[in-house]
């Protein structure tokens, strides 16, 4: 991991020094244990700030669309590159303006899981091989990385960058056995239980929209929840308002979600968004054999139609 | 005022008595975290959680609240206000920062000129039983904003963990009325000493206070600073740091319904959303992230001091803990303080 971080710093420095790009987007050391923070590096000497570790949890592709006037390099793990591909396919990004520093990913560690396992406040954390060591005032615990991964990372099908200008480090082997294991677990429950699960999850939502803001694919100039004339759903944290929001967002991401889990990671109420979006991802996979953001030029199924296909009214 | 001791084994019985007469809110589990919510049994209380996921502010200022309902039958319009509040509530185990936040909200919703009845009706029936923080978290910075882990402002009753027992101090007439019954004993000198010691130890754990005066002064000259561009670059513009802030009190009012029936609702709002300032004409006076991150800091650490003579932050560290991109308010304040 350390060598990878060093390689990222070097590449960032080289790109800025040579003037190939104006900006490098990557991660820097966080202010809290278990955290790394997205950072914009504009000067070669600041490339020193770049780091790489198991806490680089954000999908940096979320920043790319808004920067139109600069040549950007972005540090991208598998899911970040899938978002880049999906955005290119939706005509939101210009491939030529983005220099992708591809980084094979070992899966990101869920800071909440580690914090919950710890008997007190975690004050320091380090990685030792395949273990996460978390320390507090009077404890030190070790967790295997594989047991502390984000739910979306545990199910990741593409940890290696699917598109890049340079690939740093060695490609990794895919570890997920069944990417839809969590979805299946819930699908097996009786309908009433599933409905109750969805309703209680949704009811904790505070409509902070961090899930939307963190999502690289949620880029509408005006989100349906922000539309006031007319209002599509109730405005408050009522069951109708919250479930309407959750369903609306999930539907808008059908065939578009790249499975990065950025939504769930950012959610302050720890709502099971991996299930919601995963369920629709699974439908798209089963109906169309399609996974989002793998191939440039391959359009999402709901964005294409065949002139001779049937319609609802003509079976 | 009156100080008594109550052995820890009696505290749940005390809370059980309160549960008979009041709606009680306390730090309690929800899903995978601890939040401030209504409880129905003393066993639900999580005693060692300092900073609950949600602050208790929604007890008096709910995230979604119906102000009135209307029905129109033929040509008769009927309005029904929802302002009345029946039952009294107790906030159990409130931390000093969250209590301070309620005092700040009081200064906004309840002024000599204007009283927001939806707020004040609930507030007047809400009593605070606080608890001191023996072990402040690494993200806590209450002493920088005029608070402290044992600050009793706003509390009716205040508990201090002194090992085998709590020292219970009544701070208002209401607190005094609550402070009796089985389990309470006269506090001894040793109890008072233990309480002082707990306070001293806690204070030492907190970082050296920042100067809010200097930060305010520096902010006076930072309207056009490039500082805001740096923050907005990575800020996602979500609602976490404001909606979950115990102090933030912005709201939006919406009419929902049809021509024959419906309601007027108010919801929490936040200056971090682009539509917060979007005008009907389509003009947005705060068009970008730069203006929005600036507003949050300016409001809390500058305008708030001018308007209310209070800092708009109580140092609970919720925004620090929960920001999805690790934008750390403490770091921003340190940089503002050090700015030329
Ligand atoms: S939820 Fe839907 S409307 Fe809102 S930003 Fe995402 S895709 Fe767009
Ligand atoms: S991040 Fe979580 S709490 Fe916030 S709007 Fe999304 S689901 Fe709701
Ligand atoms: S600004 Fe942050 S630290 Fe201050 S009171 Fe609000 S949530 Fe707490
Ligand atoms: S910081 Fe923003 S959301 Fe909070 S009270 Fe001030 S203007 Fe409102
Ligand atoms: S929580 Fe963080 S990302 Fe969200 S608005 Fe606040 S500073 Fe920005």
């Amino acid at each position: 991991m350390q060598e990878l971080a060093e390689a990222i710093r070097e590449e960032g420095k080289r790109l800025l020094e040579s003037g190939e790009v104006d900006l490098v987007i990557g991660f820097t050391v966080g202010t809290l244990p278990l955290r790394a923070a997205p950072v914009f590096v504009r000067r070669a000497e600041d490339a020193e700030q770049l780091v790489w570790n198991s806490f680089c949890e954000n999908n940096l592709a979320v920043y790319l669309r808004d920067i139109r006037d600069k040549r950007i390099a972005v540090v991208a793990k598998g899911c970040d590159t899938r978002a880049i591909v999906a955005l290119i396919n939706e005509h939101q990004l210009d491939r030529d303006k983005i220099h992708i520093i591809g980084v094979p990913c070992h899966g990101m560690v869920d800071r909440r899981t580690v914090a919950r396992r710890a008997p007190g406040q975690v004050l320091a954390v380090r990685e030792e091989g395949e273990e996460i060591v978390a320390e507090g005032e009077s404890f030190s615990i070790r967790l295997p990385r594989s047991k502390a991964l984000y739910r979306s990372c545990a199910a990741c099908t593409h940890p290696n960058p699917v598109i890049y200008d340079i690939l740093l480090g060695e490609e990794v082997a895919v570890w997920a056995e069944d990417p839809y294991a969590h979805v299946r677990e819930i699908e097996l429950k009786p309908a009433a239980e599933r409905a109750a699960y969805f309703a209680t999850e949704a009811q904790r939502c505070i409509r902070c929209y961090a899930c939307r803001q963190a999502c690289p694919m949620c880029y509408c100039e005006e989100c349906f929840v922000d539309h006031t004339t007319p209002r599509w759903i109730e405005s408050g944290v009522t069951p109708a308002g919250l479930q309407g929001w959750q369903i609306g967002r999930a539907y808008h991401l059908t065939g578009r979600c790249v499975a990065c889990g950025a939504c769930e990671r950012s959610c302050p109420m720890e709502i099971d968004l991996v299930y919601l979006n995963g369920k629709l991802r699974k439908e798209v996979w089963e109906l169309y054999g399609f996974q989002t953001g793998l191939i440039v030029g391959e359009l999402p199924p709901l964005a294409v139609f065949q002139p001779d296909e049937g319609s609802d009214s003509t079976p | 005022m009156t100080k008594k001791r109550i052995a820890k084994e009696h505290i749940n019985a005390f809370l059980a008595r309160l549960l008979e007469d009041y709606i009680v809110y306390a730090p309690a589990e929800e899903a995978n975290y601890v939040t401030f919510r209504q409880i129905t049994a003393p066993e639900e209380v999580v005693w060692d959680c300092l900073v609950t996921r949600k602050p208790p502010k929604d007890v008096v200022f709910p995230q979604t609240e119906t102000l009135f309902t209307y029905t129109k039958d033929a040509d008769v319009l009927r309005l029904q206000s929802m302002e009345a509040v029946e039952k009294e509530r107790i906030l159990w185990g409130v931390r000093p920062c969250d209590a301070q936040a309620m005092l700040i909200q009081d200064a906004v919703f309840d002024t000599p000129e204007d009283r927001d009845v939806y707020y004040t009706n609930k507030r007047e029936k809400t009593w605070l039983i606080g608890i001191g923080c023996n072990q402040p978290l690494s993200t806590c910075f209450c002493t920088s904003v005029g608070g402290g882990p044992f600050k009793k402002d706003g509390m009716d009753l205040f508990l201090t963990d002194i090992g085998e027992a709590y020292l219970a101090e009544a701070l208002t007439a209401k607190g005094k009325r609550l402070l009796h019954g089985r389990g309470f004993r006269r506090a001894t000198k040793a109890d008072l000493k233990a309480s002082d010691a707990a306070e001293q130890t806690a204070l030492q754990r907190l970082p050296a206070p920042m100067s809010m005066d200097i930060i305010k002064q520096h902010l006076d000259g930072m309207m056009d600073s490039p500082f805001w561009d740096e923050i907005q670059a990575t800020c996602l513009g979500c609602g976490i740091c404001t909606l979950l802030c115990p102090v933030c009190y912005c709201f939006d009012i919406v009419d929902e319904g049809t021509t024959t029936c419906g309601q007027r609702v108010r919801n929490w709002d936040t200056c971090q959303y682009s539509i917060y300032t979007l005008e009907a004409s389509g003009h947005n006076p705060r068009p970008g992230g730069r203006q929005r991150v600036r507003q949050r800091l300016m409001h809390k650490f500058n305008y708030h001091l001018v308007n209310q003579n209070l800092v708009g932050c109580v140092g609970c560290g919720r925004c620090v803990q929960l920001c999805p991109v690790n934008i750390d308010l403490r770091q921003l304040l340190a940089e503002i303080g050090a700015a030329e």
Side-chain angles (χ1 to χ4, degrees), chain B residues 141 241 244-247 296 300 313-319 329:
Chain B
F141 60 103
C241 58
L244 289 176
C245 170
V247 178
R296 171 171 163 246
K300 288 180 174 299
C313 164
V314 295
C316 69
R318 279 187 183 84
C319 59
L329 179 63

Side-chain angles (χ1 to χ4, degrees), chain B residues 19-214:
Chain B
L19 275 159
E20 286 169 17
D21 300 325
Y22 301 88
I23 303 177
V24 179
Y25 299 84
E29 278 180 11
E30 175 181 272
N32 274 328
Y33 49 83
V34 177
T35 195
F36 225 98
R37 65 162 172 83
Q38 192 184 338
I39 58 160
T40 51
E43 293 72 28
E44 288 175 60
V45 175
V46 176
W47 286 87
D48 60 0
C49 176
L50 276 74
V51 180
T52 50
R53 191 60 55 92
K54 270 195 191 177
K57 75 174 172 184
D58 59 353
V59 173
V60 283
F61 174 43
Q63 178 163 8
T64 294
E65 172 169 39
T66 300
L67 305 181
F68 61 79
T69 58
Y70 66 86
T71 51
K72 200 169 164 216
D73 205 356
D75 267 338
V76 192
L77 178 68
R78 283 198 189 78
L79 297 179
Q80 165 95 49
S81 171
M82 308 295 275
E83 69 194 56
V85 175
E86 297 293 321
K87 218 168 162 186
E88 297 195 33
R89 306 110 189 272
I90 278 181
L91 302 189
W92 174 271
V94 197
R95 301 289 168 171
C97 53
D98 286 346
Q100 171 65 19
M102 295 189 89
L103 296 179
I104 298 174
Q105 295 204 336
D106 291 348
V108 173
F109 287 108
D110 187 2
T111 69
E113 299 84 44
D114 293 297
R115 300 195 85 211
D116 181 314
V117 289
Y118 298 96
Y119 179 91
T120 54
N121 285 0
K122 295 184 195 64
R123 186 68 173 98
E124 277 162 4
K125 294 201 167 163
T126 304
W127 310 104
L128 272 60
I129 301 187
I131 184 162
C133 311
N134 293 38
Q135 296 201 312
L137 302 180
S138 68
T139 42
C140 297
F141 60 103
C142 47
T143 51
S144 286
V145 284
F150 286 83
K151 198 98 187 225
K152 302 177 182 76
D153 297 3
M155 305 289 191
D156 292 288
L157 197 63
F158 191 83
L159 305 174
T160 302
D161 185 338
I162 49 170
E164 306 283 284
Y166 292 101
L167 182 70
E169 182 178 355
L171 295 133
T172 59
K174 176 71 181 183
K176 209 168 167 184
R177 281 198 299 281
L178 293 173
L179 185 58
H180 68 81
R182 237 170 345 112
F184 288 107
R185 302 263 177 284
R186 190 193 308 256
T188 64
K189 278 222 175 80
D191 294 339
L192 300 183
K193 240 175 120 182
S195 155
D196 283 346
E199 180 164 353
Q200 286 317 313
T201 317
L203 281 170
Q204 277 159 23
R205 292 171 64 103
L206 285 156
M210 298 179 257
S211 163
M212 289 299 130
D213 289 338
I214 291 179

Side-chain angles (χ1 to χ4, degrees), chain A residues 30-32 35-40 42 57-58 62-63 111 116 121 123 137 204 206-210 213-214 226 231 233-238 266 268-270, chain B residues 30-33 53-54 63-64 135-139 205 230 233-234 236-240 243-244 254 256 267 273 275 320-326 328 330-331:
Chain A
T31 64
L32 301 168
R35 300 301 293 268
V39 68
F40 282 36
R42 296 188 180 81
E57 62 174 47
N58 311 84
V62 75
Y63 297 120
R111 52 189 149 97
R116 260 197 297 280
Q121 196 190 10
L123 297 174
E137 245 163 70
R204 294 190 282 109
I206 58 163
R207 293 183 79 151
C208 69
Y209 306 138
Q213 299 304 101
D226 289 343
R231 226 170 245 290
I233 57 167
E234 276 183 20
S235 62
V237 290
T238 54
S266 68
M269 306 316 285
E270 304 186 30
Chain B
E30 175 181 272
N32 274 328
Y33 49 83
R53 191 60 55 92
K54 270 195 191 177
Q63 178 163 8
T64 294
Q135 296 201 312
L137 302 180
S138 68
T139 42
R205 292 171 64 103
E230 282 306 307
T234 59
L236 299 171
C238 70
I240 294 178
L243 296 185
L244 289 176
V254 183
E256 283 181 342
N267 296 307
Y273 292 162
I275 57 161
V320 175
Q321 293 177 350
L322 296 169
C323 172
V325 291
N326 189 217
D328 188 325
R330 300 167 304 168
Q331 195 183 11

Side-chain angles (χ1 to χ4, degrees), chain A residues 51-310:
Chain A
V51 301
W52 186 255
N53 56 41
S54 292
F55 306 103
C56 299
E57 62 174 47
N58 311 84
N59 190 329
L60 299 182
V62 75
Y63 297 120
L64 302 176
R65 207 183 142 269
D66 284 340
I67 311 168
R68 300 265 165 173
D69 55 341
K70 296 205 168 55
R71 287 159 307 154
I72 322 166
V74 59
V75 176
K77 46 196 180 289
C79 54
D80 305 44
T81 60
R82 285 183 68 181
I84 292 171
V85 169
L87 287 167
I88 292 170
N89 287 345
E90 293 187 9
H91 308 292
Q92 298 303 315
L93 287 184
D94 192 347
R95 174 70 184 92
D96 301 335
K97 288 199 183 136
I98 295 164
H99 185 95
I100 303 167
I101 307 175
V103 182
C105 177
H106 291 254
M108 292 298 151
V109 166
D110 187 341
R111 52 189 149 97
R112 291 148 175 169
T113 302
V114 179
R116 260 197 297 280
R117 297 280 166 77
Q121 196 190 10
V122 176
L123 297 174
V125 67
R126 60 177 193 278
E127 300 180 51
E128 280 182 11
E130 283 305 298
E131 281 187 325
I132 301 293
V133 186
E135 292 174 332
E137 245 163 70
S138 52
F139 67 87
S140 169
I141 57 160
R142 287 172 173 271
L143 285 174
R145 275 177 48 86
S146 60
K147 292 274 178 287
L149 293 184
Y150 274 110
R151 195 142 52 178
S152 43
C153 289
C156 180
T157 53
H158 293 82
N160 297 306
V162 298
I163 183 177
Y164 51 80
D165 291 281
I166 182 173
L167 183 71
L168 304 177
E170 297 288 312
E171 293 209 343
V172 297
V174 177
W175 55 82
E177 277 154 26
D178 174 8
Y180 302 111
H182 179 54
V183 175
R184 272 185 241 281
E185 202 181 296
I186 293 167
E187 278 175 343
L188 286 174
K189 294 178 200 272
E193 246 179 76
R194 283 200 314 267
Y197 180 68
F198 170 62
T200 44
E201 286 296 298
Q203 202 51 44
R204 294 190 282 109
C205 173
I206 58 163
R207 293 183 79 151
C208 69
Y209 306 138
C211 48
R212 174 187 79 186
Q213 299 304 101
C215 170
M217 302 312 294
C218 258
Y219 56 72
C220 293
E221 288 301 327
E222 188 185 52
C223 179
F224 75 101
V225 277
D226 289 343
H227 194 76
T228 51
T229 47
R231 226 170 245 290
W232 300 116
I233 57 167
E234 276 183 20
S235 62
V237 290
T238 54
L242 293 175
Q243 293 178 31
W245 156 237
Q246 296 290 346
I247 292 171
R249 179 169 179 271
Y251 272 23
H252 288 181
L253 289 160
T254 309
R256 303 179 57 241
C257 165
V258 296
C260 66
C263 50
E264 185 169 288
R265 294 168 198 191
S266 68
C267 177
M269 306 316 285
E270 304 186 30
I271 291 164
D272 188 354
L273 300 172
V274 164
Y275 161 64
L276 209 54
N277 296 312
K279 167 72 181 163
L280 287 162
R281 231 175 21 250
K282 179 166 171 281
E283 297 286 312
V284 169
W285 172 245
E286 286 168 356
L287 285 169
Y288 307 104
F290 179 80
Q291 284 185 292
T292 311
L294 298 187
I295 302 164
V296 173
E298 189 186 27
L299 292 180
L302 298 189
V304 289
F305 70 100
Q306 261 134 40
D308 58 346
E309 73 192 21

Side-chain angles (χ1 to χ4, degrees), chain B residues 283-325:
Chain B
H283 172 64
N284 196 334
R286 276 184 218 139
R290 174 188 158 80
Q291 290 86 5
R292 297 194 279 270
V293 294
R294 183 180 67 195
Q295 165 63 19
R296 171 171 163 246
L297 275 278
M298 283 287 186
H299 185 216
K300 288 180 174 299
F301 300 96
N302 188 297
Y303 313 150
H304 222 286
L305 280 147
V306 176
N307 297 336
Q308 267 87 24
N309 200 21
L310 291 164
V311 184
C313 164
V314 295
C316 69
R318 279 187 183 84
C319 59
V320 175
Q321 293 177 350
L322 296 169
C323 172
V325 291

